[in-house]
Each structure stands twice: as structure tokens, then as C-alpha cells.
Amino acid sequence: MPIWNPECETLPREELEKLQAQRLREVVARTAATVPFYKKKFAEAKVYADDIRSLDDLKRLPFTEKSDLRDNYPFGMFTVPPEQIVRIHASSGTTGKPTVGGYTRADIDIWAEVMARTVTSAGVTSKDVVHNAYGYGLFTGGLGFHLGAEKVGALVIPMSGGLTRRQVMLMEDFGATALTCTPSYSLVMAEEAAEMGVDFKKRMKVRVGIFGAEPWTERMRAEIEAKLGLEAFDIYGLTELIGPGVSVECEQHNGMHIQEDHFLAEIIDPATGEKLPYGEEGELVFTALTKEAMPVIRYRTRDRTRLHAEKCPCGRTTARMEKIMGRTDDMLIVRGVNVFPQLIEKTLLSIEDIEPHYQIVIDRPKDQLDTLEVWVEASPRLFQPIDTRKLDELQNRVKTELAQTLGVSADIKLMGPKSIQRSEGKARRVVDKRDM
Ligand code: DLL
């Protein structure tokens, strides 16, 4: 499979690390000189750009947290005057103020470059028709993919999310060969197509899908590939760094290659902040080495994964990150037991007749213990006509299997087709009513 920028993507690691160290020194100097927040933080830590000689010195730099961005909302982390900013994006938090990212003209060029590498990694070329159903707007997904697909010369359909029936129709009419959207929305499309009497696998030419922006398990990948008849690639990114384009899978599907000449990755122990070696699980921390408008230094993503630096059979020398295993802050504590949403997804999707549409609902009725409910759709065939015996059996099975894997019991609500709300973007999997 072709590589978009072999010079950068297959750089011997020694050279790559030298380049990273040099860029790190530059970005530390630049942020210290222009952003009061960094100037103060570096001074407190008594570290200056000239002290950065190799990547080993990275650990001397202080972390940046989401709360720091919030404290400097909206534009306090920018290194350049407003007239040099050509675009902003923002991530939608469920509550409060969004997280803002700023771009200069040069940043947009970097974004197009890393997204060109990204789509190429999934085999997209100028011959492809890319149906882009990530949201256009403040969210980075739509415009990020747009830049990269256009740069490789593909024909881009700027669909954005929503109006799913129309999406299905146009995907067929325009002959889409690549689909880009959240993994949860790809299943909504498959479902809508089925309801329209369109056999997705037969009628669509879609060969590859590049799915990300939310966690999804290997089970979910299998489900998507089976229902849509395509090869699914995982893509990762975040607004604070650039948006999509931080890392993506290659044809090996064995971790996501990080665009390391632009984004320096580390894994730390979330409790102590200590840097962990390759292969160990912890919190992913990124430094944006080349961003002009808003380069973050040692930004704590809260995403949990592992890094690997061995050479990949695809030829790229860049380090790979495993599928995101969850966030350091998404662990739910239910009656004192740690519960991970992705473990629930994995367990649910291993059970036959369970559909990939679910929601986890936690509550704390007054003066009582926490309640954990898992609402999940059962196969439509159990409802046509309704087969109560099979549904009862299935409910018991789900309850038993979840109790075994989670170590805490959950009430299972088996739902009929389309009872769980569908999402056009990031699916809302957890509803924690205890916070309200
Ligand atoms: O979700 C950027 C993006 C757009 C990535 C399109 C991929 C495709 P934010 O809205 O700022 O940016 O959300 C970033 O989403 O810290 C992760 O927790 C989560 N996330 C993103 N990609 C993945 C993924 C975009 N592939 C936050 N797997 C990140 C799991 C992901 N979680």
C-alpha cells in the first residue's frame, strides 16, 4: 500500500528522535516567549528551552491539563496575534465551555498533510469518492477529513451528519468508495439502508471506512465490517492537538501510527505522572511540535492506551498506539466497584441476538445504593412476532455474563428495534444521573 510521505513516515527512529528534540526545543522557546501561562509554568519548573537537549529532557517539562485550557478560554493559549489566526474549531463538551483550537495558515497546511497521510494509510487515492459524514462546523471531523481527502485528489462529498436516508441515497448515486464518520453512525446508516430496502453490501461500492472520534471495540469493528461490507480503519485525534490526523491504522490493523514528526507521544502513570516505557498501559500525553497557533506542551489527554515502537511490516517507522482502552476519567464507580464502559460493550457484543445499540444508565435513588442499568437492543427477529421466552432467556444470559465480567450486577433492559437514541456524531453511551 502506498505511503503519502515516505520521507517523514519511514524516517529511521534515530533521525526522527533528533528531529523531535530539535522541534521540542523550538516550541518550548516559542511558547515561553508568547504565552504567559507557559512562561509562568516553565519558570516555576525552572526549565528553559536551552535545557532541552534530547527527548530525555521532556520529563522536566510540566504537564498541561484540560483545566489549563479552560482557565485560558477562549484564546489565552494562542502564540500569535489574532490577525494570524485563520480558523478556530472547538469540541463539544456536554456541559460548560467548549475546548478551543486555533489554526494559522501554516497549521491548516500541516493538518491537510497529516490527513493526507491518514486517508492514504487506509488506501484512499485520487480515484476514490469519499462520503464524508463527520460533522462540518466547529467539530474538527468534517473539515479535517475534507482537507486530507481533497489533498490526495479524491472526490469529496461534504455530507456532514444527519438526514440519514438522503445519505444512503447519495452514497449509492455518487458511487462512494470510502465512508468517513463515527463508528456508531456507520451502523445507523446500515440500519437505515436496510429499512429502505437497500442491500448496503450489494448496492454500495464502499470499500473502506475510516472511523473514530469515539471509543469502539474490536467487536464493534467486526459488526461494522459485517454489516457494511468494508474494511474499517481506526483513526484518533483531538481538538487540542489539531483534530483528526494524530494517528491512524495502516493495512496491518495493529495499532495506529502516530504522525510523530508533528506530535510527540508519551505514556505516563496517571497517578504519579511518571513516564512509562513502551508497552505499558497508561495515560497518553502529547506535545504538538509544529503547530503555530496553539501548540500544547505535554498535554494530558486522559485517554488510556499503550505505545509500541517496533517497525511495522507496512514500512512506516512511526510508533503505534493501541486502540484507546478508555479514559482515565470514564471509569464508573458503581457501589464501590470500578466499571469500564468498554468492557460492557465488549461483553454485550459477544452475545448472539444483541444489537450494537446500547446505553448505560446509572442512578442513585435517595439514600439508596447506586443502580446500574444496561439498556440494549435485541435482534429485531425476536420481536417479529414477539418471542417472550427467547427474550427472557437472552435477558438472563446478558445479566449473568455482565455480572461475571464486571463483578457487579446490572439490571438489563432489552429493548425493541430503534428504542435507543441514534447519534449522527459521537454516541452517548453513558447516562450518569448521579451528577445531576
Ligand atoms: O474527536 C477528533 C476526531 C475527529 C478524531 C474525527 C477522529 C475522527 P474531539 O472532539 O476533541 O476530537 O475529541 C477528542 O475523542 O480525547 C478521545 O477521548 C476521543 N477519541 C477520538 N478518536 C478516538 C478513537 C475528535 N479512535 C477525544 N478511539 C479524544 C477512541 C477516540 N476515542
Side-chain angles (χ1 to χ4, degrees):
M1 277 257 240
I3 294 179
W4 178 255
N5 187 337
E7 201 193 320
C8 295
E9 295 176 77
T10 64
L11 209 57
R13 287 207 67 81
E14 222 171 273
E15 276 179 53
L16 174 66
E17 286 173 13
K18 242 168 73 189
L19 177 70
Q20 288 180 313
Q22 178 206 330
R23 289 183 167 173
L24 179 64
R25 196 161 46 242
E26 286 164 9
V27 77
V28 167
R30 195 150 49 80
T31 48
T34 51
V35 183
F37 165 79
Y38 283 116
K39 186 180 174 153
K40 184 160 168 267
K41 284 276 270 225
F42 297 158
E44 277 166 10
K46 296 195 175 48
V47 50
Y48 301 94
D50 288 346
D51 301 335
I52 311 288
R53 297 214 170 77
S54 74
L55 290 184
D56 221 28
D57 296 314
L58 185 60
K59 57 178 182 292
R60 303 177 54 185
L61 291 164
F63 293 115
T64 306
E65 310 247 6
K66 203 178 193 99
S67 58
D68 297 321
L69 303 194
R70 212 174 299 132
D71 294 344
N72 290 282
Y73 176 86
F75 305 145
M77 300 295 264
F78 288 3
T79 65
V80 295
E83 61 268 26
Q84 287 180 36
I85 305 283
V86 300
R87 171 105 65 89
I88 60 163
H89 280 284
S91 75
S92 50
T94 38
T95 49
K97 303 279 192 194
T99 307
V100 177
Y103 305 73
T104 62
R105 167 96 339 254
D107 292 335
I108 298 284
D109 292 344
I110 291 174
W111 201 11
E113 160 69 20
V114 291
M115 281 309 293
R117 294 184 196 175
T118 297
V119 299
T120 304
S121 183
V124 171
T125 69
S126 60
K127 297 199 179 82
D128 279 291
V129 177
V130 179
H131 183 102
N132 185 15
Y134 282 107
Y136 279 67
L138 279 176
F139 177 55
T140 53
L143 284 156
F145 267 93
H146 193 103
L147 280 172
E150 220 169 55
K151 188 166 171 108
V152 303
L155 192 169
V156 193
I157 316 293
M159 277 307 301
S160 200
L163 300 174
T164 310
R165 286 190 166 228
R166 198 174 149 76
Q167 301 239 7
V168 171
M169 178 184 85
L170 296 183
M171 214 183 300
E172 187 179 5
D173 293 353
F174 296 161
T177 54
L179 170 63
T180 55
C181 61
T182 56
S184 54
Y185 193 51
S186 76
L187 286 173
V188 176
M189 289 201 197
E191 182 178 65
E192 202 72 40
E195 271 179 27
M196 291 161 72
V198 173
D199 183 333
F200 198 101
K201 288 209 272 197
K202 271 211 192 113
R203 296 258 289 270
M204 303 291 175
K205 289 201 220 144
V206 183
R207 199 182 75 243
V208 294
I210 314 178
F211 305 122
E214 64 183 4
W216 53 309
T217 56
E218 285 301 333
R219 290 266 174 199
M220 189 65 91
R221 188 205 303 264
E223 191 85 29
I224 292 170
E225 291 190 333
K227 289 211 161 109
L228 286 89
L230 48 72
E231 183 177 352
F233 291 78
D234 195 2
I235 170 173
Y236 171 88
L238 61 163
T239 312
E240 297 89 317
L241 270 187
I242 202 156
V246 175
S247 66
V248 68
E249 286 179 343
C250 64
E251 72 272 12
Q252 302 290 322
H253 299 285
N254 187 17
M256 292 177 271
H257 285 277
I258 299 167
Q259 308 301 343
E260 281 185 294
D261 48 336
H262 296 287
F263 310 112
L264 176 56
E266 322 164 60
I267 292 287
I268 62 158
D269 177 332
T272 63
E274 206 170 312
K275 193 170 170 191
L276 297 176
Y278 285 120
E280 282 193 33
E281 187 187 329
E283 181 181 343
L284 189 56
V285 170
F286 273 112
T287 300
L289 295 172
T290 52
K291 276 280 294 294
E292 270 187 357
M294 201 189 102
V296 283
I297 310 281
R298 296 199 89 195
Y299 183 70
R300 293 185 63 157
T301 63
R302 309 269 161 199
D303 294 318
R304 287 189 302 117
T305 186
R306 295 193 195 98
L307 292 179
H308 301 280
E310 304 90 55
K311 196 166 178 220
C312 179
C314 77
R316 291 178 185 80
T317 50
T318 43
R320 279 165 287 166
M321 52 185 265
E322 286 183 31
K323 233 174 181 348
I324 297 290
M325 296 152 182
R327 293 175 52 83
T328 54
D329 52 10
D330 75 356
M331 186 183 78
L332 304 162
I333 304 182
V334 180
R335 284 171 250 141
V337 178
N338 300 345
V339 173
F340 295 96
Q342 269 159 285
L343 195 55
I344 297 186
E345 175 176 306
K346 196 172 155 200
T347 310
L348 288 175
L349 298 191
S350 69
I351 300 170
E352 208 190 329
D353 282 331
I354 286 295
E355 295 291 306
H357 304 288
Y358 67 95
Q359 206 159 44
I360 301 160
V361 183
I362 302 156
D363 204 355
R364 180 174 293 159
K366 205 168 176 298
D367 301 328
Q368 285 178 45
L369 288 176
D370 296 341
T371 57
L372 171 64
E373 289 177 359
V374 176
W375 303 13
V376 61
E377 289 179 18
S379 166
R381 68 182 186 87
L382 301 183
F383 294 89
Q384 301 159 351
I386 190 151
D387 187 337
T388 36
R389 192 181 56 85
K390 277 240 169 78
L391 282 168
D392 282 348
E393 275 172 21
L394 185 59
Q395 183 164 24
N396 285 334
R397 174 141 185 241
V398 175
K399 193 172 170 72
T400 313
E401 298 215 1
L402 274 181
Q404 268 165 12
T405 39
L406 301 180
V408 62
S409 78
D411 286 328
I412 312 302
K413 282 201 180 168
L414 285 188
M415 321 276 285
K418 289 205 135 174
S419 314
I420 304 276
Q421 202 189 348
R422 301 295 188 255
S423 155
E424 297 159 5
K426 300 182 191 241
R428 188 170 179 216
R429 302 291 193 198
V430 178
V431 181
D432 194 341
K433 296 184 176 166
R434 294 174 302 184
D435 297 336
M436 289 177 187

